[in-house]
Amino acid sequence: MNPLRFVSLLVVTSMENHHHAAIALVHPPSQRSCALPRSDVTSRPLLLNHRESSIVYDTAGVTRQRWARTYDRAASNKFRSSSLSSKSSLFPKRQSIRKEFFQTITPLFFVMLRKIAFGSSPAWAATKSSALASTAASFTLRKLASNVFQTIRHPTKETFRRLTLSVVAILFLINLVEGIAASKRQRSDPTSEWGRYADKPAARGIALSLLLLKLLPYAALPNVLETISRKFPPRSERPPYESTAPHRLRKRAGETFADGLLRLGPLYVKIGQILSCRENLFPEEWIAAMEKLQDRVPAKSGADAWKLAYEACPGGKARFHTLFADFDDVPLAAASLGQVHRARLRASGEAVAIKIQRARLRDIYDKDLKLMKRIAKAVDSFGGKKGQVGGVQQSWQEIFDDAETILYREIDYRDEADNAVRFARDFGLGFGGAAVESTAKSVDGNPLPSASEWLRSPYTYKELSSEKFLVMEYVPSIKISSNSKLDEAGLTVEDREFLAEALARSYLRQFCVNKFFSTDPHPGNLGVEVFDDGRPPRLVFYDFGQACSLKEDQAGGILEVIESIIDSDAKKSVSAFKTMGVLKDGADLAKVEAKCQSNYDSGKLRVKKRKKRKSAKYNTGSQAVNGSNEDVERKPDDALAKSAANSTKATPEVKDSEVMEYFTLQSEYAFVARALSQMDGVGKGLDPDFDFISAAAPYLVEIKGTRRYLVDEAKKRLKFVYDPDDGMLAKEMTLFKTLGFEPKKYKRGGTKLK
């Protein structure tokens, strides 16, 4: 006998020989009226002949058939009666669920055992069991549909509450299962879920919430432990900070935060790159962890790298092998948008760096930016004062629109190639770092000198590039934030200060005369080229995917603001704000001027003295102010300072909030602020005393041109003559108007004076 049939027979026999147990198991007390009569159970006992291993029936199988029909009928009647007479809601009470479960499952189980025990074969039993299961499922679905229909016709608050909780529970379980599966995939490839998060923003929201919850104890505990240690100092000497619990916790927190941003998607990696430059906002452990987002994002290598290269290259695999040789499938660096591989041009043998875009990047951008645009619109409508950003008159949606344009241009490598070519031409940079004629001109209209002695960018092969494929000259360098490697290369403190000044000098040119600047100067996009022939190190710019153009008045206004800060001239600052177009109509200029003067007097804005350098090798390009590298500390004119001091005393203290409401922010200035923020972080990494205005001040003569610079400086010294409000010429103009004249120009010795 089949073992399954034998076991089933024992169970059924035991149940039949115990009337009360069978009745209690098969039929609950409420429905025993439909149970089988005792005579049917006991009048035909089952006999088991162990010697012949067979089942003997006293009525040739009649009992088996009757039992099968009766129990099938009982089960069907029970399903039918429960489905037709049920008046419970879709979500009945827990007691009724348990009751109906046993009422449904127990008869099915018993009948299945009977069929297995008395069936002619296991296959027949399986067929009957399947049919019975389908019948049960049919009745269950009918009952569910009936309950749903009744719930719709007669809804209650309890029904809605249970329905809401059920939906939430189902969604939670689905996301939990998906999250566990995603976590397993991210262990091998942290970027594996970028596409899924773009398709399902809710999944990213859950991941972001979990990240913040995970960070909370790591962020709070170090401060608590340090507070306790200060109150209860140890008896012995304090251990080094690197071996303490706060350091380990902060290091773990930084790694968790960086890894979380990496898993969320390319836009979050961009956020991490920006934050990694802000040493004043985060502990050094967090900064060190986020630096990997600059150029060490996990990348594809081996066969996957070859596949990416073939798909991105114009002309596919055949053209790729026609153009390139010695392709290294292990990337040199990788960031949020792409990865860089080294190769060689077959035609010329020149070493090149090939930048290949990640798969499905545009689709991810489409969905992520669409969501962020909705958020920006909602913030404009409900967040704080409508139409203000940080107290300044501006729409987040307008800022986002411009950011969206730049971000989309960043994933089109043809635009990046154009930006790289323009950057090189503006600075007079050729192939191999050679000097060529600069296309940029100073304020007085003279061509600016080439920056090849202190700056370099890779030459770009536009004809070989495409939307997802960028070919550049291979320019090896040391990452600008890698202090250990800079030390190994022999860079001195003066070398680092020179590099920080070169960074400020480059952005002074980009803002004020090139009218075109890179908005993303984080350490992953900046390198240091070191020479063995005694030349100073050279700053190397990479990655021009994010760049922004400025209008003529915007560039001129930025230059005026820089000069007014150098001269501590509040009146000139207000004039510069007008030129930039950042003041609203009807702004209280007296308050703005008073606030500027207060900042100058309090030392919030001041220019530091330029540091002396012993070596003459740092005298690169045009000369700095006064034509030498002597100390430069710009001080305001004594008369101007006294006048400003008197006006400040007479004017009551002005709060920042009172002044900021008079400003309106154009989107281009948001990118200027971003570039300045990242540049400040990089500069302080090279020189702790770095600030942009102080480092750029000596190079105003280069920007304005020697003649224009000298004329402007002379006017500053003769302010009592040339001041547009209180100068002698202004008073003379007023006198002529009083006498009835309206002269527009006066000629004295051939010189036009306005």
Side-chain angles (χ1 to χ4, degrees):
M1 177 182 290
N2 188 292
L4 178 61
R5 179 177 295 179
F6 180 76
V7 173
S8 303
L9 181 61
L10 289 179
V11 174
V12 173
T13 303
S14 176
M15 293 175 65
E16 289 186 346
N17 290 331
H18 295 80
H19 165 72
H20 297 290
I23 295 299
L25 181 62
V26 178
H27 303 284
S30 62
Q31 297 184 5
R32 286 184 184 172
S33 60
C34 66
L36 293 175
R38 180 178 178 83
S39 59
D40 288 340
V41 179
T42 58
S43 61
R44 297 176 178 82
L46 298 174
L47 302 177
L48 181 64
N49 189 330
H50 297 284
R51 181 180 305 171
E52 298 179 2
S53 299
S54 62
I55 301 175
V56 180
Y57 302 92
D58 60 339
T59 56
V62 174
T63 301
R64 179 183 64 185
Q65 297 175 6
R66 182 179 299 174
W67 269 93
R69 289 195 303 271
T70 303
Y71 276 92
D72 284 346
R73 190 182 307 111
S76 301
N77 289 336
K78 198 184 108 49
F79 278 117
R80 187 178 296 106
S81 62
S82 62
S83 62
L84 296 177
S85 63
S86 175
K87 296 183 179 180
S88 59
S89 64
L90 179 61
F91 302 98
K93 296 181 180 180
R94 183 173 300 178
Q95 181 179 1
S96 61
I97 293 176
R98 186 185 301 111
K99 180 179 177 181
E100 291 188 6
F101 174 79
F102 283 108
Q103 290 177 357
T104 303
I105 297 301
T106 306
L108 290 176
F109 178 70
F110 181 71
V111 171
M112 185 177 66
L113 290 178
R114 293 279 316 183
K115 289 187 178 295
I116 294 175
F118 300 126
S120 58
S121 67
W124 180 88
T127 303
K128 287 292 183 179
S129 299
S130 300
L132 186 61
S134 63
T135 303
S138 174
F139 282 121
T140 303
L141 291 175
R142 287 173 58 189
K143 180 179 178 180
L144 182 62
S146 175
N147 288 337
V148 170
F149 179 72
Q150 291 182 15
T151 301
I152 294 174
R153 291 185 60 187
H154 307 288
T156 62
K157 291 183 178 181
E158 182 67 16
T159 300
F160 286 120
R161 188 182 72 83
R162 291 179 178 273
L163 180 62
T164 302
L165 292 176
S166 300
V167 171
V168 171
I170 292 171
L171 292 177
F172 174 78
L173 290 174
I174 292 174
N175 282 279
L176 181 63
V177 172
E178 289 183 350
I180 294 173
S183 180
K184 291 181 180 180
R185 292 190 294 268
Q186 287 173 334
R187 290 174 189 171
S188 57
D189 182 10
T191 66
S192 61
E193 303 305 303
W194 285 8
R196 187 174 75 90
Y197 286 154
D199 296 334
K200 299 181 178 180
R204 179 188 279 131
I206 294 174
L208 182 58
S209 301
L210 293 176
L211 173 63
L212 296 178
L213 290 175
K214 191 185 299 184
L215 282 174
L216 187 60
Y218 290 117
L221 280 177
N223 296 329
V224 174
L225 293 176
E226 288 178 343
T227 302
I228 294 174
S229 65
R230 284 194 295 268
K231 290 185 176 180
F232 305 98
R235 297 178 181 178
S236 58
E237 291 187 7
R238 291 182 182 272
Y241 173 71
E242 288 74 14
S243 62
T244 60
H247 170 72
R248 292 193 296 270
L249 288 171
R250 288 192 178 107
K251 185 177 180 181
R252 180 70 180 274
E255 293 172 351
T256 302
F257 184 58
D259 186 60
L261 292 178
L262 175 60
R263 294 184 177 201
L264 289 173
L267 293 180
Y268 291 84
V269 174
K270 285 289 179 186
I271 293 173
Q273 292 173 353
I274 295 172
L275 296 179
S276 67
C277 302
R278 303 305 301 162
E279 297 182 357
N280 57 327
L281 298 180
F282 294 93
E284 60 181 7
E285 295 89 348
W286 287 53
I287 297 296
M290 287 188 287
E291 284 180 350
K292 75 175 185 180
L293 301 178
Q294 297 167 1
D295 55 3
R296 297 196 301 276
V297 177
K300 305 295 183 182
S301 58
D304 292 334
W306 283 102
K307 182 179 178 181
L308 279 177
Y310 293 153
E311 292 176 352
C313 179
K317 180 177 179 180
R319 188 162 187 265
F320 180 86
H321 286 289
T322 302
L323 296 174
F324 305 103
D326 301 334
F327 177 77
D328 188 355
D329 56 20
V330 177
L332 295 169
S336 57
L337 306 183
Q339 55 193 57
V340 180
H341 295 262
R342 186 177 179 181
R344 182 175 54 83
L345 293 178
R346 287 189 183 275
S348 61
E350 297 165 356
V352 294
I354 303 176
K355 187 175 180 180
I356 306 171
Q357 191 176 113
R358 292 181 181 273
R360 204 191 159 188
L361 201 56
R362 181 170 290 276
D363 180 46
I364 294 173
Y365 263 43
D366 288 341
K367 295 176 179 177
D368 283 355
L369 293 175
K370 184 178 181 181
L371 175 63
M372 290 187 175
K373 192 169 186 177
R374 291 178 181 173
I375 295 174
K377 186 176 181 180
V379 171
D380 275 340
S381 301
F382 305 105
K385 293 183 178 180
K386 188 174 180 180
Q388 290 195 4
V389 177
V392 178
Q393 187 70 28
Q394 177 60 43
S395 164
W396 278 109
Q397 196 169 353
E398 292 176 6
I399 293 177
F400 179 80
D401 288 340
D402 288 289
E404 184 180 29
T405 301
I406 290 180
L407 288 171
Y408 270 116
R409 291 191 65 186
E410 187 180 16
I411 61 175
D412 190 337
Y413 288 167
R414 293 169 297 189
D415 287 329
E416 182 174 348
D418 292 336
N419 294 339
V421 170
R422 178 174 176 179
F423 182 90
R425 289 175 179 172
D426 286 343
F427 282 98
L429 306 175
F431 180 81
V436 297
E437 184 179 354
S438 172
T439 57
K441 296 182 179 181
S442 62
V443 176
D444 64 0
N446 295 318
L448 287 170
S450 170
S452 61
E453 294 184 7
W454 50 275
L455 185 68
R456 185 177 180 183
S457 66
Y459 178 81
T460 303
Y461 297 86
K462 285 186 62 176
E463 67 280 3
L464 302 180
S465 302
S466 67
E467 181 182 357
K468 300 181 179 180
F469 194 79
L470 181 63
V471 184
M472 305 164 287
E473 175 189 9
Y474 176 63
V475 181
S477 65
I478 302 172
K479 188 177 179 179
I480 199 167
S481 61
S482 180
N483 291 322
S484 59
K485 293 185 178 180
L486 293 177
D487 291 337
E488 292 176 4
L491 264 69
T492 63
V493 174
E494 288 188 344
D495 287 333
R496 296 168 195 255
E497 292 172 354
F498 170 76
L499 288 169
E501 195 171 280
L503 181 62
R505 182 181 179 183
S506 70
Y507 269 92
L508 182 66
R509 282 182 64 161
Q510 292 179 67
F511 289 149
C512 300
V513 289
N514 295 357
K515 307 178 189 65
F516 175 81
F517 65 97
S518 170
T519 65
D520 204 19
H522 63 73
N525 293 339
L526 297 171
V528 179
E529 190 176 17
V530 182
F531 303 99
D532 298 328
D533 55 5
R535 287 184 290 168
R538 186 160 55 176
L539 187 65
V540 183
F541 268 78
Y542 301 102
D543 195 342
F544 301 95
Q546 290 196 22
C548 182
S549 298
L550 294 172
K551 301 174 185 175
E552 189 73 32
D553 56 346
Q554 292 173 331
I558 292 174
L559 180 58
E560 285 187 42
V561 168
I562 294 172
E563 284 194 275
S564 66
I565 295 174
I566 293 172
D567 298 330
S568 298
D569 189 340
K571 186 177 292 186
K572 189 172 183 178
S573 296
V574 175
S575 175
F577 294 151
K578 291 181 182 178
T579 304
M580 293 173 68
V582 297
L583 287 176
K584 292 195 297 184
D585 295 336
D588 190 336
L589 302 183
K591 276 189 177 182
V592 177
E593 183 178 339
K595 185 59 183 177
C596 291
Q597 191 61 53
S598 175
N599 290 337
Y600 295 142
D601 294 341
S602 63
K604 288 184 179 179
L605 293 173
R606 70 181 179 88
V607 180
K608 301 174 184 177
K609 181 182 289 188
R610 191 185 188 205
K611 299 177 180 179
K612 287 185 177 180
R613 299 195 182 96
K614 298 178 181 179
S615 177
K617 70 178 182 178
Y618 301 108
N619 296 335
T620 58
S622 64
Q623 295 298 313
V625 173
N626 297 333
S628 65
N629 277 336
E630 66 183 34
D631 291 350
V632 174
E633 184 175 18
R634 305 295 299 274
K635 298 180 181 179
D637 183 74
D638 293 339
L640 177 64
K642 291 178 182 179
S643 174
N646 293 333
S647 63
T648 304
K649 291 178 181 178
T651 305
E653 182 67 24
V654 181
K655 296 180 180 180
D656 290 343
S657 59
E658 296 178 20
V659 175
M660 293 304 291
E661 66 181 12
Y662 299 134
F663 285 83
T664 177
L665 182 66
Q666 298 176 24
S667 56
E668 289 85 354
Y669 296 127
F671 295 108
V672 170
R674 173 187 171 181
L676 288 172
S677 174
Q678 296 195 45
M679 177 183 56
D680 186 69
V682 174
K684 280 183 167 56
L686 295 168
D687 179 7
D689 297 327
F690 173 84
D691 77 82
F692 171 65
I693 302 295
S694 299
Y699 298 99
L700 284 177
V701 62
E702 177 182 73
I703 299 302
K704 301 180 75 172
T706 304
R707 183 178 178 278
R708 176 67 177 268
Y709 177 80
L710 293 175
V711 170
D712 289 347
E713 289 298 308
K715 286 183 178 180
K716 291 175 187 176
R717 299 297 183 267
L718 299 173
K719 194 174 184 66
F720 67 95
V721 176
Y722 292 101
D723 188 274
D725 297 323
D726 300 325
M728 293 177 61
L729 292 178
K731 292 178 180 178
E732 184 178 319
M733 179 75 73
T734 304
L735 178 61
F736 272 92
K737 288 183 179 181
T738 304
L739 295 175
F741 297 97
E742 291 292 339
K744 295 182 178 179
K745 296 181 181 180
Y746 299 92
K747 291 187 178 182
R748 293 182 180 177
T751 302
K752 292 183 180 180
L753 299 177
K754 294 183 180 180

